[in-house]
Amino acid sequence: MLNGYYEIKKAKNGQYYFNLKAGNHEIILTSEMYVSKASAENGIASVQTNSPDEKQYEMKLNVRNEPYFLLKAKNHQVIGKSEFYSSDAAAQKGIASVSRNGKTTDVRDLSDKEL
């Protein structure tokens, strides 16, 4: 089984964010925007800590009633958001994937390649 990894990127507005990707290279969690790369790295550390704990996930529905989930830190701050899924079962599989892959220490800094 392939291992997941993080990619740190820099957005056009100069802020940083990261994606957690599964071993198949699909994005399974996207972070909020951060002012500094160090803050994005702290966000990754928070995912590594919180992703194994099922109590840190919150299921939601978008305006089209498509399920998605948020991963929150112990202080209830949102660390990352999933894609929109076709069913609750698919979203639960997404949570299981983030839980499994979130512990990875493989972090790939692509922030200098974005601009």
Side-chain angles (χ1 to χ4, degrees):
M1 179 179 240
L2 298 173
N3 293 326
Y5 57 95
Y6 293 94
E7 287 184 342
I8 298 175
K9 296 187 173 189
K10 191 172 187 179
K12 288 183 171 72
N13 66 5
Q15 293 191 320
Y16 296 84
Y17 67 99
F18 62 84
N19 290 315
L20 172 59
K21 292 189 169 186
N24 64 1
H25 311 292
E26 292 289 324
I27 295 171
I28 53 176
L29 192 75
T30 299
S31 75
E32 305 296 306
M33 290 289 181
Y34 297 96
V35 175
S36 71
K37 189 189 318 185
S39 295
E41 291 167 340
N42 287 340
I44 289 171
S46 187
V47 173
Q48 291 165 330
T49 299
N50 290 288
S51 63
D53 186 351
E54 67 184 39
K55 294 186 296 274
Q56 299 311 117
Y57 294 91
E58 180 181 341
M59 291 286 291
K60 307 276 267 176
L61 292 173
N62 69 12
V63 295
R64 294 186 304 253
N65 282 328
E66 296 168 320
Y68 68 100
F69 60 86
L70 303 174
L71 175 61
K72 294 185 173 185
K74 301 279 191 258
N75 66 3
H76 307 290
Q77 291 290 317
V78 174
I79 313 166
K81 178 180 169 184
S82 73
E83 66 180 343
F84 299 130
Y85 291 94
S86 58
S87 68
D88 285 346
Q92 290 296 332
K93 285 182 182 177
I95 288 172
S97 183
V98 171
S99 182
R100 191 171 49 252
N101 289 287
K103 296 173 275 192
T104 184
T105 57
D106 184 351
V107 178
R108 302 171 188 186
D109 185 356
L110 305 178
S111 62
D112 62 343
K113 297 179 172 74
E114 291 299 303
L115 299 176

